[in-house]
Amino acid sequence: MSSQVSQQAALGVFDSGVGGLTVVRALRELMPNESIIYLGDTARVPYGSKSPDTIRRFSVEDTQFLVSHGVKAVIVACNTATAHALPLLQATFRVPIIGVLEAGVEATLADPQCERVGIIGTSGTIRSSAYQYALAMRKPSLQIHATATPLLVPFVEEGWTEHSALKLVLKEYLNPLLAKGMDTLVLGCTHYPLLMPILQKMLGKKVRLVDSASTCAAHTKRVLEDQNLLRTTRSKPTLDIFLTDLSEQAEAMAKRFLGTDFGKVKKATL
């Protein structure tokens, strides 16, 4: 597979919106030499409320766009798309396709002390049972409690990551999981890494947090190393951000998720 693509080619990353830029941020921190092309399908966000067939169709179109730009691997930075479309994408395209979910499962099970896992995510991700199934297959003794947390994405997109109202909402969502003795919390949405500071304050050291952005970046690095696809040239890496619907709000959110300015956002036509 690695003979088909160049080491120097960019990594492709897609998400239904701009939340996947937390994955881009983690990729750049871990592998600063890699070029990245990001596609946010902001015209059709959110994917979580769509049917599985529609999510699969959108995911194929998103991947096709990135592959047409010559990327050497595609990271599906959307938990819903990973849950519903990853096997199809891997069967359809010749470049490595990496999902956020597998990385999160690996990281969750890396701690042998892990016995009671809480999972939070969008309704679509939780309803798919993809995390629950993958964890239970690997460690049948695990106690798994999954909760859809649909109110969290709007808080993150509004930039209200320290707001008192957010704390109330988090308590409502997390108290039932804490009552079940949760020792690990899987953040099953790429928006949620921006909630890490408030979650760490609320949960303290008694609950381990597993976030999909940093775990996905680490998993991607391992795949690139295994397939000899790490970029070797020292010229400045590039970052191109494409959105299917350009708006001031989307650009402002993109800066918040990426944590830095990145020049001009381009319009993508799928």
Side-chain angles (χ1 to χ4, degrees), residues 138-160:
R138 305 276 191 87
K139 189 171 179 179
S141 66
L142 214 55
Q143 288 185 37
I144 303 165
H145 306 285
T147 301
T149 51
L151 295 176
L152 297 184
V153 164
F155 275 106
V156 175
E157 293 193 344
E158 202 58 50
W160 287 12

Side-chain angles (χ1 to χ4, degrees), residues 37 61-71 93 269:
I37 298 172
E61 290 168 2
D62 296 336
T63 306
Q64 189 68 60
F65 174 87
L66 292 169
V67 168
S68 73
H69 281 73
V71 298
F93 296 95
T269 307

Side-chain angles (χ1 to χ4, degrees), residues 73 96-98 218-229:
I97 310 280
I98 299 156
H219 183 74
T220 300
K221 187 178 185 187
R222 286 196 297 277
V223 170
L224 295 180
E225 284 168 345
D226 289 348
Q227 304 207 17
N228 196 28
L229 284 173

Side-chain angles (χ1 to χ4, degrees), residues 200-221:
Q200 278 162 341
K201 267 187 224 161
M202 288 177 70
L203 297 171
K205 292 196 163 51
K206 62 180 181 282
V207 178
R208 183 172 60 113
L209 298 177
V210 175
D211 87 272
S212 37
S214 60
T215 55
C216 182
H219 183 74
T220 300
K221 187 178 185 187

